[in-house]
Amino acid sequence: MRLDITGLRSGYGAGTVVNGVDLTVADQEVVAVVGRNGMGKSSLVKTILGYLPDVQGSVELDGAQQCGLRTHTITRRGVAYAPQEAAVFAGLTVRDNLYGGLRRHKPDARTTERLFDAFPVLAARLDQKAGTLSGGEQKVLLLTRCLLRDPRLLVLDEISAGLQPSMVNAVTDVLLAIRAERRLTVLMVEQNIDLCLSLARRIVVMKAGRFIAEAFRDTPDVRTTLLGHLAP
Ligand SMILES: Nc1ncnc2c1ncn2[C@@H]1O[C@H](COP(=O)(O)OP(=O)(O)OP(=O)(O)O)[C@@H](O)[C@H]1O
Ligand SMILES: [Mg+2]
């Protein structure tokens, strides 16, 4: 799925937080967004998902305008979103969190197997309340919930935050495999530069609501360049 963002502006009440963003993510491309705290990264992805009320500019999925549409309409078009904040249904079981709302859609068997292999805690605790999972386990629950929906565009907001290194590796491996098999397009906000460089060929830097730089994985010193943009 192709994503085209043009002249996007949005905010909360009086303040503009996303302040003129232009971005194209090609079909099956992975783009990472990095930036310091409070620069508008989460607000950008929430705007794409239809969560912010006052939006100017344009967000198109495969050429179809999404601005002004409700979130459930956008997700029905094949967008899956893992928010930065824990967003599991704590009082529901792990199973209901994973499969709730899937209706007739049957998750791809190979994808399902891959996810349960990578995150055995989910398989082991299917009948327990999701609220009993640790913060990191809730993150992989969210990711798994997204991937079982076989999205065409996957939007991740700091999926690696709070994960121990072995779990970050598992998330990286799962995303690399499923991205290729299911031909996913991915837009990921991410502070972990190594995860960015493992998955994304292109990384954009956000500052004060707009993109100020773009870096490519193949460029020499890309890691140092990106870390420079994130340094306080
Ligand atoms: N619900 C809200 N109401 C008012 N202001 C908000 C709201 N959510 C975020 N903001 C403000 O918008 C600005 C951008 O926040 P945002 O969460 O998009 O940044 P971010 O780049 O994702 O930061 P972080 O790296 O800490 O996740 C901040 O100044 C923040 O305080
Ligand atoms: Mg954020």
Side-chain angles (χ1 to χ4, degrees):
M1 174 177 271
R2 179 187 167 94
L3 171 68
D4 287 292
I5 300 175
T6 319
L8 196 66
R9 286 191 164 70
S10 65
Y12 307 89
T16 301
V17 172
V18 176
N19 201 3
V21 164
D22 297 295
L23 175 71
T24 291
V25 184
D27 184 39
Q28 297 177 51
E29 190 183 13
V30 181
V31 171
V33 179
V34 302
R36 293 186 196 129
N37 295 131
M39 291 302 163
K41 306 179 298 293
S42 295
S43 302
L44 169 65
V45 295
K46 284 180 185 159
T47 308
I48 296 169
L49 267 292
Y51 283 107
L52 269 70
D54 298 319
V55 180
Q56 292 170 39
S58 161
V59 177
E60 292 180 1
L61 298 177
D62 283 343
Q65 186 58 245
Q66 307 299 305
C67 275
L69 297 183
R70 308 263 293 264
T71 301
H72 66 86
T73 308
I74 295 169
T75 52
R76 213 184 297 134
R77 289 182 178 180
V79 184
Y81 166 53
Q84 182 175 4
E85 58 278 3
V88 303
F89 298 102
L92 298 183
T93 61
V94 168
R95 186 194 310 278
D96 286 345
N97 270 273
L98 291 175
Y99 295 103
L102 268 176
R103 295 193 197 141
R104 282 185 293 276
H105 177 82
K106 192 164 183 329
D108 176 67
R110 189 167 171 194
T111 302
T112 307
E113 192 183 329
R114 212 182 258 300
L115 287 161
F116 284 127
D117 280 353
F119 311 127
V121 63
L122 299 181
R125 293 174 65 181
L126 274 175
D127 295 312
Q128 291 187 32
K129 296 260 170 35
T132 66
L133 298 177
S134 73
E137 290 164 349
Q138 292 189 18
K139 287 287 221 183
V140 298
L141 171 60
L142 275 180
L143 176 66
T144 302
R145 180 184 158 85
C146 286
L147 289 169
L148 288 177
R149 276 148 181 75
D150 205 10
R152 297 174 60 219
L153 171 66
L154 177 65
V155 180
L156 302 175
D157 193 349
E158 303 211 12
I159 195 68
S160 77
L163 296 188
Q164 54 177 312
S166 64
M167 205 70 127
V168 176
N169 290 340
V171 164
T172 307
D173 292 346
V174 149
L175 282 170
L176 279 171
I178 295 178
R179 188 208 71 82
E181 286 165 8
R182 309 306 295 173
R183 300 165 173 241
L184 282 182
T185 307
V186 183
L187 179 64
M188 53 192 295
V189 175
E190 189 51 61
Q191 304 277 14
N192 182 323
I193 298 297
D194 292 324
L195 178 55
C196 287
L197 293 173
S198 298
L199 285 164
R201 194 183 60 89
R202 183 156 63 100
I203 299 103
V204 291
V205 181
M206 192 165 193
K207 184 174 182 187
R210 48 171 69 104
F211 291 149
I212 56 151
E214 182 176 57
F216 291 87
R217 176 168 55 201
D218 312 335
T219 316
D221 298 330
V222 62
R223 205 169 177 283
T224 316
T225 307
L226 289 171
L227 288 171
H229 281 295
L230 296 183

